[in-house]
Amino acid sequence: MAPPDVPADVEADFVIVGAGSAGCLLVDRLSADGRFRVVLVEAGRRWRDPLLSIPLGVGAVWKAPRYNWSYRSQPEPAIGGRRLFLPRGRLVGGSSMINAMNHVRGNAADFDAWAALGLPGWSAAEVLPLFRRLEDYSGPDPDDLRGRSGPLAVTEASHADPVVDAAFSAFAAAGHTALADYNGARQEGFGRAQFNLSGGRRLGADRAFLSPALRRPNVRLLTGMRAEQLEIAPDGRATGVVCRREGQRHVLRAGREVVLATGAFGSPALLLRSGLGPAADLAQLGIRLRAHLPAVGANLWDHPRVAVEFRRRRPSQLSGVMRLDRLAAALARAALTGRGPASEPLAAAHLFACSRPGLPAPNLQFLLRLFNPALGPRLPFVPPAVSDAFGLVACLVHPASRGRVRLVSADPADPPAIETSILGARQDVEDLTEGFRMAQAFGSHPALAAHHDGPLSPSSQLVEQGEIEAFLRASADTIFHPAGTCAMGPDGAGGHGQGAVDSTLRVRGVRGLRVVDASVMPLPVRGNIQAAVFMVAEKAAGLILDAARAQG
Ligand SMILES: Cc1cc2nc3c(=O)[nH]c(=O)nc-3n(C[C@H](O)[C@H](O)[C@H](O)COP(=O)(O)OP(=O)(O)OC[C@H]3O[C@@H](n4cnc5c(N)ncnc54)[C@H](O)[C@@H]3O)c2cc1C
C-alpha cells in the first residue's frame, strides 16, 4: 500500500501508469541501473490472497469484483444483442494476476505482418531475442529458440488424465502434427500447454518483475490511486498525470516521460479524456482537443471463442477435488507446497490449425479443458449440480472484426463504452463455425468418444450451418484478449499516419508520452497475448532507456 502521506505533487524521471503485465516489467527495466527515478501508479491494491497464486484459484479470482474492473460490452449485434462480461485486473499485477497463465508467443507471421505495415523493428526475427531474454523455459526446445534464464518461468503442463492422449490421437488422426514446442519454429499442430508457473504457483507480473524492483530506492509504487487525465504543457509536452486517491488530487510529474500501461480499455480512455483522439467525438463531449488522433479507441480486436463440451464417462480429477473438505485440503497443500491437484493449470493442451486452405498461418486455436467450468464447490455426499465434462474451446485467433472503445462522458468515473463487435465480419462467423465443426468431429473420433457419453453443450450434434450459427450467437464469447485500441501505425502524411502511436510507441501529436501495453498491437497475435504484451514492454524499455541516455 502507498503510505497515507503521499504529497500532492510527486516527481520522477518516469511516471508509469498501470501496474499490469506491461507496467510491472517496465518499472523493473527502467529502474535497474539506479540512474532514473520511477514512479508506478495503480488504481487497484496489492493483495496477498493465496487464491491469486494457486492455479485452481483462477476459477474464483478471474471474476471476483474486488480484483476487477468488471467491464460490460455494449449490446453486441452479431451475437443476439448480448452484453459480454469483460474482466480486467484491477490490482497490482493487473490482468496477469487473474488470467489463465497460458504462455503462447504467437506466430512469426504476426510480427512480420506488423513490420510489413511499415513498423521497423517489429519483425519476428527482431522480436525473437526479446522473447528469449524474458523466458525461463523448462520444456523441450528442439529448435533452440527458447530462453532458459529470464525472469519469466514457463512450465509445460503435465496432466495425467487419459483424455489428453485421446485428444492427441484424435488430432493426429485428422492430420495435425504433434509438436514438442508450439512456441518453437512451428506453431501449427498440437502439444501440451505451457504456463507462467513457477513452483506450482502463478508467476504474475508482480512476482516476476515488480517485487525485485521494489527493493530499489529509486522505485516508488502508489496504489489505490487512479489516473484521471494527463497534464500537457502549452508547448505540447506531457509533463505529468493528474490522479485521485481517496478523494485527494495528486499530480505525478515526469521529468522525462509519462508511460501509459493501463491496458486496452484503460489507455484509450485516458488519452481521450486528455484530448487525444477523434476530434468530432471529443467535441461532442466538450473535451478540449490536444491532437486529432482518429486511431485512439478504434481497431479493438479480440479472440472470439465457442466451447463444445462432452459428458465425461470417468470423473475428472477436478470433480473430486470440488468436494469442500477435499477442496480445503487441496488448496492448503497448493498454498504450502505448490503441489497437488489445485496446482494444475486449467488447460491441458493447445492445437493450432487452419479453418480453410490458403491461410499463411493458423487462424484457430483449440484449448483442451478436462473439466466442466460450471463445476462449483459442493458439500460432501451431495452430488455435483452439473455433469462432469471435458471440452474443446475453439478460438478464432486471427479475426477480421474490429470494435472500438469510446467515452460516454468526460467524467473519469464513467467507464468507457466498449463495442467488441466479435463475429461482426461474415468471414469470422464462417471460420469459427468451422472451428466448432472441427471440435465436434474431434469428439466423435473413437479415441475421444471412448471417454464420453455424448455431447453436453450443445446438447446434441449440430450439423446445419444455421443451427451452428444460432449456437454461436447464443454462446460465443471472447477469450479476454482485447488489444489494438492505441495501435502503432507507420509515419504518414503530416507525421500522423494511421496509428495512435509510432513504431517507438510515442503518442502522435504530443511529446514525452508513450503507450506500452496490449493496446499498441496493430494486428492480432495468434494465441493468448500476454507473452506478446511482455515482449512489447521489453522492447519499449530499451527504446525509452536509449532515448533517456542519449538525452543525458
Ligand atoms: C480472465 C482472463 C484470462 C486470461 N488468460 C490469459 C492467458 O491464459 N494467457 C495470456 O497470454 N493472456 C491471458 N489473458 C490476457 C492477458 O492477461 C492480458 O492481455 C494482459 O495481462 C494485458 O496486459 P496489459 O499490461 O496490457 O494490461 P493489464 O495487465 O490489464 O494492466 C493494466 C493495469 O492498469 C491499471 N489501470 C487501468 N486504468 C488505470 C487508471 N486510470 N489509473 C491507474 N491504474 C489504472 C489496471 O488496474 C491494471 O493493473 C487473460 C485475461 C483475463 C482477464
Side-chain angles (χ1 to χ4, degrees):
M1 287 292 295
D5 58 340
V6 181
D9 284 9
V10 176
E11 284 203 25
D13 293 298
F14 300 113
V15 172
I16 300 169
V17 189
S21 305
C24 289
L25 188 152
L26 277 174
V27 88
D28 175 39
R29 299 315 203 210
L30 298 185
S31 65
D33 72 1
R35 184 172 159 195
F36 303 110
R37 290 163 306 152
V38 184
V39 165
L40 176 63
V41 57
E42 165 59 42
R45 289 174 47 194
R46 200 159 187 222
W47 295 86
R48 291 281 170 233
D49 181 348
L51 286 180
L52 288 167
S53 60
I54 298 172
L56 183 58
V58 174
V61 300
W62 76 273
K63 53 183 191 290
R66 68 175 169 176
Y67 303 137
N68 216 305
W69 290 87
S70 303
Y71 292 110
R72 289 227 165 248
S73 75
Q74 296 295 297
E76 298 283 346
I79 50 169
R82 283 184 294 129
R83 298 186 66 184
L84 298 174
F85 176 58
L86 303 171
R88 291 286 92 193
R90 183 187 179 142
L91 70 168
V92 172
S95 299
S96 82
M97 302 299 285
I98 62 164
N99 71 17
M101 300 172 285
N102 290 277
H103 183 86
V104 178
R105 283 179 174 182
N107 194 288
D110 299 332
F111 308 109
D112 285 340
W114 294 9
L117 289 176
L119 300 169
W122 293 97
S123 69
E126 287 163 302
V127 302
L128 176 62
L130 305 168
F131 281 118
R132 291 188 79 145
R133 198 192 298 156
L134 285 170
E135 287 174 345
D136 178 12
Y137 172 60
S138 52
D141 179 17
D143 310 312
D144 194 21
L145 290 173
R146 307 301 303 274
R148 296 273 190 202
S149 56
L152 196 65
V154 182
T155 311
E156 202 177 62
S158 57
H159 300 84
D161 194 317
V163 169
V164 179
D165 285 337
F168 285 177
S169 299
F171 297 158
H176 302 286
T177 305
L179 301 173
D181 176 17
Y182 54 74
N183 285 315
R186 178 187 167 115
Q187 186 194 37
E188 189 168 355
F190 60 89
R192 286 193 176 260
Q194 298 174 20
F195 294 92
N196 295 130
L197 273 174
S198 173
R201 298 183 180 91
R202 173 190 297 276
L203 194 75
D206 184 348
R207 183 150 75 106
F209 301 107
L210 181 61
S211 295
L214 284 176
R215 289 185 212 116
R216 300 178 191 137
N218 55 329
V219 173
R220 183 160 190 189
L221 169 67
L222 301 172
T223 59
M225 188 181 275
R226 184 171 176 159
E228 294 192 337
Q229 212 181 337
L230 297 165
E231 188 186 69
I232 301 174
D235 69 353
R237 206 176 88 79
T239 49
V241 186
V242 179
C243 299
R244 198 159 294 274
R245 182 169 185 266
E246 289 167 6
Q248 293 292 314
R249 185 177 187 270
H250 301 265
V251 183
L252 313 181
R253 294 231 155 73
R256 291 176 185 269
E257 292 200 37
V258 174
V259 184
L260 295 191
T262 40
F265 302 141
S267 289
L270 207 41
L271 290 180
L272 292 167
R273 232 178 278 122
S274 308
L276 302 162
D281 293 3
L282 298 179
Q284 242 178 25
L285 297 171
I287 297 174
R288 184 180 154 206
L289 184 72
R290 297 289 189 163
H292 171 53
L293 298 176
V296 175
N299 187 50
L300 169 63
W301 56 262
D302 203 339
H303 295 145
R305 65 167 159 158
V306 64
V308 180
E309 312 277 350
F310 304 92
R311 291 173 195 279
R312 281 187 74 116
R313 207 161 270 176
R314 277 183 294 275
S316 62
Q317 173 174 270
L318 203 71
S319 74
V321 172
M322 293 311 275
R323 223 180 74 169
L324 273 170
D325 51 337
R326 295 184 190 147
L327 183 60
L331 291 174
R333 185 174 172 209
L336 294 172
T337 67
R339 290 171 190 272
S343 298
E344 287 196 349
L346 301 185
H350 295 302
L351 161 68
F352 296 90
C354 294
S355 65
R356 52 195 152 94
L359 293 173
N363 63 343
L364 291 171
Q365 176 184 5
F366 296 84
L367 286 85
L368 174 64
R369 196 161 59 192
L370 300 172
F371 59 91
N372 182 345
L375 274 176
R378 66 174 199 281
L379 291 167
F381 313 114
V382 175
V386 294
S387 303
D388 206 356
F390 64 84
L392 284 160
V393 184
C395 310
L396 184 59
V397 287
H398 205 259
S401 308
R402 295 292 184 271
R404 68 170 178 153
V405 175
R406 61 187 165 81
L407 296 185
V408 293
S409 84
D411 184 347
D414 285 340
I418 301 165
E419 297 155 26
T420 71
S421 300
I422 57 160
L423 301 182
R426 181 67 208 160
Q427 186 64 62
D428 289 356
V429 177
E430 283 169 18
D431 288 332
L432 196 59
T433 299
E434 184 54 26
F436 174 90
R437 285 186 194 280
M438 289 165 73
Q440 264 194 168
F442 294 137
S444 302
H445 182 272
L448 260 183
H451 291 276
H452 69 79
D453 290 322
L456 175 68
S457 174
S459 55
S460 61
Q461 282 263 343
L462 304 184
V463 180
E464 300 298 327
Q465 178 76 18
E467 56 184 4
I468 297 176
E469 286 190 23
F471 184 69
L472 293 189
R473 272 197 301 280
S475 72
D477 201 338
T478 91
I479 194 160
F480 316 134
H481 298 157
T485 47
C486 302
M488 275 189 273
D491 289 341
H496 282 254
Q498 68 241 38
V501 299
D502 67 14
S503 62
T504 66
L505 310 182
R506 286 194 163 105
V507 177
R508 296 185 188 282
V510 206
R511 285 179 295 115
L513 178 64
R514 298 192 211 226
V515 178
V516 180
D517 58 29
S519 56
V520 302
M521 299 179 179
L523 296 169
V525 173
R526 291 167 168 89
N528 313 67
I529 66 168
Q530 180 175 245
V533 172
F534 285 138
M535 176 279 286
V536 165
E538 181 74 2
K539 183 167 179 73
L543 294 167
I544 295 168
L545 285 172
D546 284 351
R549 287 176 186 142
Q551 226 175 41

